[in-house]
Amino acid sequence: MKVSVQAVALWGKIAPSHSITAIMITDDQQTIVTGSQEGQICLWDLSSELKISSKEILFGHTASVTCLAKARE
């Protein structure tokens, strides 16, 4: 059973900048991953109607994310 959880953003009055420097889409074409100049990685849901909605934002990098790659089994 798939459980859907809405992403919750916790910051002040202004959301963090996310100047996209890298982008990729997963093999199942349901998730877009973006890397930013500010060092964040964001996950976005992509619906079959091509509607994009935020899923997660990952902080922690101290430099720009300039490349994204998929892991292979």
Side-chain angles (χ1 to χ4, degrees), residues 4-70:
S4 178
V5 178
Q6 183 66 29
V8 176
L10 302 174
W11 49 69
K13 293 181 181 183
I14 301 172
S17 298
H18 188 71
S19 305
I20 295 174
T21 52
I23 189 168
M24 70 170 220
I25 190 166
T26 57
D27 289 336
D28 63 7
Q29 298 181 354
Q30 293 182 355
T31 303
I32 296 172
V33 183
T34 58
S36 77
Q37 183 176 347
E38 296 79 19
Q40 304 136 359
I41 295 175
C42 291
L43 304 175
W44 309 86
D45 281 328
L46 179 60
S47 72
S48 57
E49 297 84 28
L50 301 179
K51 181 180 176 185
I52 299 171
S53 58
S54 61
K55 184 174 179 179
E56 294 180 62
I57 184 168
L58 309 172
F59 296 92
H61 289 84
T62 57
S64 295
V65 177
T66 58
C67 182
L68 295 167
K70 298 178 225 177

